[in-house]
Amino acid sequence: MNSFTEENYLKAIYKLQEQSSEGVANSDLAKALGVQSASVTAMLKKMAQKKLINYEKSKGFRLTDKGKQIAVNIIRKHRLWEVFLVEKLGFGWDEVHEIAEQLEHIHSEALINRLDVYLGHPKADPHGDPIPNANGIFAKSKSILLSETEKGMQGKFVGVTDHSPSFLTYLDKVGLSLGDTISVKSIEDFDKTYTLQLKGKKEITVSNKVANSLLIAG
Amino acid sequence: MNSFTEENYLKAIYKLQEQSSEGVANSDLAKALGVQSASVTAMLKKMAQKKLINYEKSKGFRLTDKGKQIAVNIIRKHRLWEVFLVEKLGFGWDEVHEIAEQLEHIHSEALINRLDVYLGHPKADPHGDPIPNANGIFAKSKSILLSETEKGMQGKFVGVTDHSPSFLTYLDKVGLSLGDTISVKSIEDFDKTYTLQLKGKKEITVSNKVANSLLIAG
DNA sequence: ATCATAAATTAGATTAGTCTAATTTTTTAT
DNA sequence: ATAAAAAATTAGACTAATCTAATTTATGAT
Ligand SMILES: [Mn+2]
Ligand SMILES: [Mn+2]
Ligand SMILES: [Mn+2]
Ligand SMILES: [Mn+2]
């Protein structure tokens, strides 16, 4: 079994390596985990020994299949627990990440499989992030940033790229919820501010910074 | 915050000290935790420093109010999670202890309070053990061992003192479930074997060893 | 190609929690 | 009261995960 620390390294490496096909840099991982570079070096040695990562000298490192499988399972657990916390316990989407950071490390295949059934095999977590199935397969979804859409575009708000509580509570405040259908009424030339029509209801205006954190699906 | 290890020490000390009004012995705690006596000595020093326990030289030790409060909260979490696992996820009562041993260490007051509400403020866990409320108060219950009852006695099966999966699955097999009303048909003189009538339904015979692990309430 | 900067590794310590072996203290039995 | 047995503590080591400071390696810019 892997320690919490090791699991957190695996998850962080996974997220970094998904961002490109290159190897992950020690310094990027150190920053992601909030530890010193020397600590990363020490841990990577152990993980390489356990065949969880592959080094390519001065080209960074990547997870082995074994490492990736563990990482994806932790992400599965994290997201299923987030669904549970929001759907069953009534937490807000801005409150669940920290708790899921703990719950994701509970070791029990039976538990996570029963939880998945109990929740009805959800395909996405409360932030719109896809939940891999028990085999580690993610449902492919094709969404784009609102900031990349043009005037007149109509689509569904399906996810966020900024998961900070402050951003999420801001969305609550302006009345934007996952699943809402929105259309782009206008885009301000000067600063690319977006004015949106929310499903017949109200009209709201959001900064480009916000538009750059909202995922839209056709 | 306290580490998992420290929380496990607190819980184990609590359970030992409840068994008598005396101080707890280093050796008993070592046995309960499956560690060496020397490890216990080392940990007790740290816990005394943190005002979690009181030493009374060569009279053992006991939890301070602070230590007791933390211990009871962990027990509350353990038992609430067990209820969740059985009632919501459909686990058997013989399968939940190990998972709850992990879940009891999740740190979030909001989580445990919402879980309590979600479960309908249960008063007992799947094994009949009382669940303390948010203030650490246990509902007083007066039950006795089946082995201490006499022929003709009628009562309700409300708890077990043996929590081992093998005992619990044995009870499943013979059809004894928490809440069942039972009456003592006869007690074999030779070996104190109990023959029980289950709520009009079947009649079963259990050894004295079994009768000694079943809690009955008037 | 050389020098400056950035990235990575090494060396040496620290803390939590554990171990074994040795020693001391306490309890129990004669 | 004394010796034997049991319980507790101390001493010294180990592992996991971290740190700082020093050193080495790699990258990049002139
Ligand atoms: Mn999250
Ligand atoms: Mn999420
Ligand atoms: Mn239990
Ligand atoms: Mn229980």
Side-chain angles (χ1 to χ4, degrees):
Chain A
M1 216 44 15
N2 312 279
S3 67
F4 283 22
T5 305
E6 216 170 46
E7 291 187 347
N8 284 333
Y9 271 81
L10 287 169
K11 190 171 52 136
I13 295 169
Y14 178 82
K15 288 187 173 176
L16 288 170
Q17 80 175 20
E18 287 305 286
Q19 284 164 29
S20 88
S21 52
E22 306 286 299
V24 175
N26 178 316
S27 50
D28 289 342
L29 182 54
K31 185 176 295 177
L33 290 166
V35 299
Q36 291 305 123
S37 210
S39 308
V40 169
T41 300
M43 183 60 89
L44 289 181
K45 278 186 188 170
K46 291 176 207 160
M47 290 174 71
Q49 203 118 34
K50 290 189 179 185
K51 307 280 189 205
L52 295 170
I53 57 167
N54 288 319
Y55 264 102
E56 283 188 72
K57 57 177 178 184
S58 74
K59 300 217 70 180
F61 44 87
R62 302 205 117 232
L63 296 176
T64 59
D65 284 349
K66 182 183 171 196
K68 193 189 241 168
Q69 182 236 306
I70 297 168
V72 169
N73 192 237
I74 296 164
I75 289 169
R76 170 171 158 81
K77 291 193 280 182
H78 182 104
R79 293 179 182 170
L80 282 172
W81 279 116
E82 284 192 344
V83 173
F84 168 73
L85 294 172
V86 169
E87 297 296 317
K88 301 294 186 181
L89 296 194
F91 277 101
W93 66 346
D94 56 312
E95 304 176 304
V96 297
H97 181 75
E98 287 308 312
I99 301 175
E101 285 290 308
Q102 297 179 62
L103 287 165
E104 71 187 7
H105 299 294
I106 302 292
H107 292 141
S108 168
E109 282 307 305
L111 172 60
I112 207 65
N113 289 335
R114 279 179 187 265
L115 185 64
D116 186 36
V117 169
Y118 184 58
L119 298 173
H121 303 291
K123 292 285 165 290
D125 81 4
H127 313 104
D129 296 311
I131 300 176
N133 67 21
N135 298 315
I137 311 297
F138 288 88
K140 271 277 176 291
S141 73
K142 47 211 168 292
S143 58
I144 55 169
L145 290 174
L146 175 61
S147 56
E148 286 163 354
T149 64
E150 317 229 314
K151 176 175 170 177
M153 173 271 165
Q154 173 154 339
K156 204 168 151 196
F157 168 36
V158 298
V160 293
T161 57
D162 179 349
H163 293 67
S164 68
S166 58
F167 178 62
L168 299 173
T169 55
Y170 162 78
L171 294 181
D172 283 344
K173 197 176 70 179
V174 300
L176 249 183
S177 311
L178 219 64
D180 284 357
T181 296
I182 63 184
S183 51
V184 178
K185 286 291 277 275
S186 63
I187 305 173
E188 176 57 47
D189 246 9
F190 172 61
D191 63 359
K192 306 297 181 207
T193 287
Y194 277 65
T195 297
L196 311 169
Q197 180 71 49
L198 296 195
K199 181 78 173 221
K201 297 182 295 186
K202 50 187 167 322
E203 193 177 285
I204 63 172
T205 301
V206 300
S207 70
N208 187 263
K209 183 178 174 185
V210 168
N212 203 38
S213 297
L214 300 177
L215 289 167
I216 310 297
Chain B
M1 218 41 16
N2 312 278
S3 67
F4 283 23
T5 305
E6 215 169 47
E7 292 187 347
N8 284 332
Y9 271 79
L10 287 169
K11 189 171 53 134
I13 296 169
Y14 178 83
K15 288 186 173 175
L16 287 170
Q17 80 175 20
E18 287 304 286
Q19 284 164 31
S20 87
S21 52
E22 306 286 298
V24 175
N26 178 316
S27 51
D28 289 342
L29 182 54
K31 185 177 294 175
L33 290 166
V35 299
Q36 292 304 124
S37 211
S39 308
V40 169
T41 300
M43 182 61 89
L44 289 181
K45 278 186 188 170
K46 291 176 204 158
M47 290 174 72
Q49 203 117 37
K50 290 189 177 187
K51 307 282 189 203
L52 295 170
I53 56 167
N54 288 317
Y55 263 103
E56 282 189 73
K57 57 177 178 183
S58 75
K59 298 216 71 178
F61 43 86
R62 303 204 118 232
L63 296 177
T64 59
D65 284 349
K66 182 183 171 195
K68 193 189 239 166
Q69 182 238 303
I70 298 169
V72 169
N73 193 237
I74 297 163
I75 289 168
R76 171 172 156 82
K77 291 194 280 183
H78 182 104
R79 293 180 181 169
L80 282 172
W81 279 117
E82 284 191 345
V83 172
F84 168 73
L85 295 171
V86 169
E87 297 296 317
K88 302 295 185 180
L89 297 194
F91 277 101
W93 66 344
D94 55 312
E95 304 175 304
V96 297
H97 182 75
E98 288 308 312
I99 301 175
E101 285 289 308
Q102 297 179 61
L103 287 164
E104 71 188 6
H105 300 293
I106 302 292
H107 291 141
S108 168
E109 282 307 305
L111 173 60
I112 206 65
N113 289 334
R114 280 179 187 266
L115 185 63
D116 186 36
V117 169
Y118 184 58
L119 298 172
H121 303 291
K123 293 284 166 289
D125 82 3
H127 313 103
D129 296 310
I131 299 176
N133 67 20
N135 298 316
I137 311 297
F138 288 89
K140 270 277 175 291
S141 73
K142 46 207 170 292
S143 59
I144 55 169
L145 291 174
L146 175 61
S147 56
E148 287 164 352
T149 65
E150 316 229 313
K151 175 176 172 180
M153 173 270 165
Q154 173 154 338
K156 203 168 154 195
F157 168 35
V158 297
V160 293
T161 57
D162 179 349
H163 293 67
S164 69
S166 59
F167 178 62
L168 298 174
T169 56
Y170 161 79
L171 293 182
D172 283 345
K173 197 176 72 181
V174 301
L176 249 183
S177 310
L178 219 63
D180 284 357
T181 296
I182 64 185
S183 51
V184 178
K185 285 292 277 278
S186 62
I187 305 172
E188 175 58 47
D189 246 8
F190 172 61
D191 61 359
K192 306 297 181 206
T193 287
Y194 276 66
T195 297
L196 311 169
Q197 178 71 50
L198 295 194
K199 181 75 174 222
K201 297 182 295 186
K202 52 186 165 321
E203 192 177 286
I204 63 172
T205 301
V206 300
S207 70
N208 187 262
K209 183 179 174 185
V210 168
N212 202 38
S213 297
L214 300 177
L215 289 167
I216 309 297

